[in-house]
Amino acid sequence: MSNNKKGSIPAQDQAFQISEPNTTPIHNIKPAGKEEQAYMMILSSGSVGVTGLDIQKHCHVISGRNFPSLLKRQSGVLFRWEWEANTEDDGRHKRHWLVGRDDAKKVLREINGKRYARGAGPVQSDEAERLLSLYPVAPEQAA
């Protein structure tokens, strides 16, 4: 402990006793964008799948139905989908599932590309393995 006019300063507080504050940011990482959030939701949905309404609610976007199509155009990802009744009472919508692990890897590459562009590192390897394990190695029949 060191002493000052008001008494001793505990060791854990001594680090805060500096003459000039350092205002330079340690990291310059931007927050995840809507597209990255939607892709992560699609990847983490596994066998449950995801709907445009799910993406809309989770990612706070006006419409979530275009993200699977955008992902298909950008990366060639294959989806299996089915129509289902909408719980919001406005008809029906599609529930999308990734076809297999190869497609999940493509989505993971897109996510990591978005993370790199905003200054974040790639998805941690243990998390990536967990996400990829949600999908079968052999692809299913695409709809």
Side-chain angles (χ1 to χ4, degrees):
M1 286 208 198
S2 65
N3 291 318
N4 68 5
K5 293 179 191 175
K6 296 183 180 180
S8 358
I9 301 172
Q12 65 269 20
D13 292 336
Q14 287 181 17
F16 299 114
Q17 306 296 319
I18 57 175
S19 58
E20 293 181 28
N22 184 0
T23 58
T24 57
I26 295 173
H27 300 289
N28 192 16
I29 300 174
K30 297 177 183 174
K34 306 291 184 186
E35 205 170 297
E36 181 185 337
Q37 291 175 18
Y39 291 176
M40 186 58 100
M41 185 173 185
I42 290 168
L43 183 61
S44 62
S45 68
S47 63
V48 175
V50 66
T51 66
L53 188 60
D54 296 333
I55 295 171
Q56 179 182 355
K57 286 181 179 179
H58 178 76
C59 301
H60 308 288
V61 294
I62 293 172
S63 175
R65 68 182 185 180
N66 296 327
F67 289 103
S69 299
L70 181 63
L71 194 53
K72 184 177 180 180
R73 278 194 311 272
Q74 287 177 339
S75 304
V77 173
L78 296 177
F79 285 96
R80 186 174 56 118
W81 59 269
E82 292 178 2
W83 287 105
E84 68 177 35
N86 190 335
T87 58
E88 299 293 319
D89 196 35
D90 59 351
R92 60 188 187 150
H93 56 253
K94 290 180 182 178
R95 180 167 293 277
H96 295 85
W97 294 268
L98 290 172
V99 173
R101 191 165 296 176
D102 288 339
D103 292 305
K105 287 178 183 178
K106 291 177 185 177
V107 175
L108 187 60
R109 277 193 290 271
E110 283 290 324
I111 292 168
N112 283 336
K114 304 247 179 254
R115 290 177 60 88
Y116 177 76
R118 68 181 175 90
V123 174
Q124 297 293 322
S125 60
D126 57 338
E127 177 69 3
E129 287 301 317
R130 185 191 69 76
L131 290 168
L132 293 176
S133 71
L134 298 173
Y135 298 94
V137 176
E140 300 173 15
Q141 183 68 25

